[in-house]
Amino acid sequence: MYDGGKIITGLVVFVGLVTFPLWSNVGKAAKKPDPKIDTPVIQQLAEKKCIEPKAFMQAEHMKILNDWRDSVVRDGNGIYVSSSGKSFNMSLQKECMNCHSNKKKFCDECHNYADVKPYCWTCHIEPKEKEKVAWASIEENS
Amino acid sequence: MGINRREFLKIAGVSVVAGLGGASAIDLLRRAPVEASQVSPNPKALTAKRWAMVVDTRKLTGADCKRMIEACHRIHNVPDIGTKQEVKWIWTEEYKHAFPDDMNKFVSDEVKHKPFLMLCNHCDQPACVRVCPTKATYKRADGIVMMDMHRCIGCRFCMAACPFGARSFNFGDPRPYVKEENPKYPTRMRGVVEKCTFCTERLAEGLMPACVEVSNGALVFGDLDDPNSEVRQVLRSNYSIRRKPNLGTQPCVYYIV
Ligand code: SF4
Ligand code: SF4
């Protein structure tokens, strides 16, 4: 084989580069996301339930929000009657974030983990989170 | 490598059929839970066949106009930029700019110098809707010319088409120019067009538009299709004009001068 040494060295370097993401992350398992629901509004709920069952919300919230936006903006329907028969305002700012006022510890927790960047917040205003809230949850974790 | 063209096509055909079947089965399974629930309008919502506004300019002073502009811009998070890149939903204009079709050489001093309140006319034949390539701007069944900000691509065709200057473009991120954010309403983002919406979000909750609410009766808002509505009564008993009516967009904001 002509230039065998160069080819093999080249191959080793190539394989090394291609597998870089694998070996550079060995042993550094990303922290499992742990969204918090300990906001003041949720604490005061008699029944700590979202508009639909938790598993459904986890899988489908983005689809619900999409449906809501078309329904409100296009059809002028503002009320959502859930599968349990309760009515809710179809509004991200006025309904969802009223309970989930901890965007950083709720939305961002999973979105960052999954590396998705929803563009809701370029227009919709996120709740003002006080520094204190962040510190409290840090203490809680330690 | 014993696969000829005929076999390849057979396998490809079977996989396509299997793939299509598989996809639709998944869709069917996924869709079920959302459809179990229902949506409806707010029962308190104000409704009409054709919303319209009458501006009684005889009752309006500069200070009144300022108050209305501030109320609108505050609740809708309209940025206060203060350069040529300004964003406005409602503003004032001199008579000669507001009604350039009026060819009279001499008009009364009062009318000449008075500020006229301008806003989107929610035209019955809106030029902006005809040109919008994404249907981000559209006319609702109740006549309101509305925008779906999620869809606007910022092409600005609508701004070129609107003969009333009712639309503004966000040349940059408007957030730094919103002094006091109203947490109940969104802002806009860089690269979209915005304008007055006749306060659809307030009508949906049973409230009159913000400017009407603070106008002390100088603005009348109601259903043009209902002969007994307040707007029709006011129009019946007063002579009114509209902006650039000869362009045929059929503005639905009337001015009593
Ligand atoms: S005033 Fe302009 S923006 Fe408003 S509906 Fe008429 S054409 Fe469209
Ligand atoms: S700027 Fe937006 S609203 Fe205007 S025509 Fe283009 S897409 Fe439509």
Side-chain angles (χ1 to χ4, degrees):
Chain A
M1 186 157 56
Y2 299 111
D3 288 333
K6 281 187 201 158
I7 292 173
I8 287 166
T9 324
L11 277 178
V12 169
V13 171
F14 175 74
V15 171
L17 282 179
V18 166
T19 54
F20 172 79
L22 297 178
W23 53 259
S24 70
N25 280 321
V26 164
K28 282 194 270 176
K31 207 174 113 268
K32 196 165 160 268
D34 178 24
K36 291 268 187 298
I37 53 163
D38 55 353
T39 65
V41 179
I42 297 179
Q43 298 292 340
Q44 276 168 20
L45 288 180
E47 222 189 354
K48 292 190 185 44
K49 274 194 181 149
C50 199
I51 59 166
E52 298 286 355
K54 183 175 167 187
F56 180 71
M57 292 310 290
Q58 267 173 353
E60 303 281 344
H61 65 278
M62 58 299 265
K63 213 169 152 232
I64 291 187
L65 287 172
N66 245 349
D67 289 348
W68 280 18
R69 106 180 167 190
D70 289 343
S71 180
V72 171
V73 179
R74 295 274 162 179
D75 309 329
N77 288 325
I79 306 282
Y80 176 82
V81 183
S82 74
S83 54
S84 63
K86 284 209 192 100
S87 297
F88 297 92
N89 245 323
M90 290 196 270
S91 167
L92 176 65
Q93 274 172 240
K94 288 190 262 187
E95 195 73 90
C96 307
M97 303 316 280
N98 182 39
C99 283
H100 297 289
S101 53
N102 55 344
K103 172 176 171 279
K104 291 196 181 72
K105 280 273 152 199
F106 186 73
C107 311
D108 295 353
E109 187 78 6
C110 296
H111 291 164
N112 288 343
Y113 178 79
D115 199 20
V116 290
K117 298 183 179 67
Y119 45 81
C120 313
W121 313 106
T122 52
C123 293
H124 289 282
I125 297 175
E126 49 193 86
K128 300 273 169 290
E129 289 180 63
K130 292 184 216 92
E131 275 307 298
K132 256 195 246 151
V133 178
W135 281 109
S137 54
I138 288 171
E139 277 160 22
E140 215 176 70
N141 288 343
S142 59
Chain B
M1 294 286 179
I3 175 167
N4 61 27
R5 201 171 65 105
R6 196 179 149 76
E7 273 170 46
F8 170 76
L9 285 177
K10 267 197 230 161
I11 295 170
V14 169
S15 351
V16 165
V17 170
L20 287 179
S24 60
I26 289 172
D27 276 353
L28 284 178
L29 286 174
R30 282 171 64 91
R31 218 175 279 142
V34 180
E35 278 174 4
S37 48
Q38 295 167 359
V39 294
S40 62
N42 188 328
K44 281 187 286 178
L46 301 179
T47 55
K49 284 220 182 79
R50 171 70 251 195
W51 286 117
M53 185 182 279
V54 181
V55 182
D56 193 340
T57 62
R58 297 168 306 186
K59 292 186 189 158
L60 283 179
T61 64
D64 292 326
C65 296
K66 209 168 156 236
R67 191 177 64 243
M68 292 182 232
I69 294 168
E70 273 172 12
C72 167
H73 286 186
R74 184 167 27 84
I75 68 163
H76 295 119
N77 294 322
V78 177
D80 182 10
I81 296 178
T83 66
K84 268 192 194 163
Q85 304 189 348
E86 67 171 357
V87 174
K88 57 191 177 6
W89 285 27
I90 175 168
W91 72 104
T92 55
E93 204 79 79
E94 272 180 46
Y95 181 79
K96 65 170 187 264
H97 294 136
F99 302 95
D101 295 342
D102 184 356
M103 299 300 200
N104 288 0
K105 195 166 176 192
F106 303 103
V107 289
S108 79
D109 279 351
E110 198 210 337
V111 165
K112 200 170 172 183
H113 299 296
K114 192 180 193 67
F116 283 82
L117 198 67
M118 305 279 107
L119 68 163
C120 169
N121 288 292
H122 296 271
C123 308
D124 217 27
Q125 302 288 334
C128 53
V129 171
R130 292 191 63 163
V131 298
C132 178
T134 63
K135 296 206 167 132
T137 288
Y138 59 100
K139 198 175 127 203
R140 309 201 319 178
D142 60 6
I144 295 180
V145 175
M146 185 49 182
M147 280 191 67
D148 184 346
M149 292 300 171
H150 305 100
R151 273 180 95 140
C152 177
I153 55 169
C155 66
R156 305 178 69 196
F157 285 6
C158 53
M159 293 181 70
C162 171
F164 304 100
R167 295 174 160 265
S168 309
F169 183 63
N170 283 284
F171 286 89
D173 180 10
R175 286 258 171 112
Y177 300 96
V178 181
K179 264 179 245 121
E180 225 183 290
E181 281 177 351
N182 171 9
K184 298 219 162 99
Y185 199 80
T187 63
R188 266 65 57 195
M189 65 180 290
R190 182 181 161 207
V192 296
V193 166
E194 62 181 273
K195 69 167 192 79
C196 152
T197 63
F198 264 177
C199 283
T200 46
E201 85 287 0
R202 289 171 61 87
L203 295 174
E205 291 178 352
L207 298 167
M208 275 283 169
C211 55
V212 177
E213 198 173 89
V214 301
S215 71
N216 296 335
L219 301 188
V220 182
F221 189 75
D223 190 350
L224 210 56
D225 264 13
D226 172 6
N228 301 317
S229 68
E230 204 187 341
V231 274
R232 284 288 292 276
Q233 276 166 19
V234 173
L235 290 177
R236 210 175 292 135
S237 45
N238 295 278
Y239 177 71
S240 60
I241 54 174
R242 292 185 292 171
R243 295 183 68 197
K244 307 186 188 179
N246 56 353
L247 294 178
T249 67
Q250 299 297 349
C252 286
V253 176
Y254 291 75
Y255 294 85
I256 300 174
V257 190

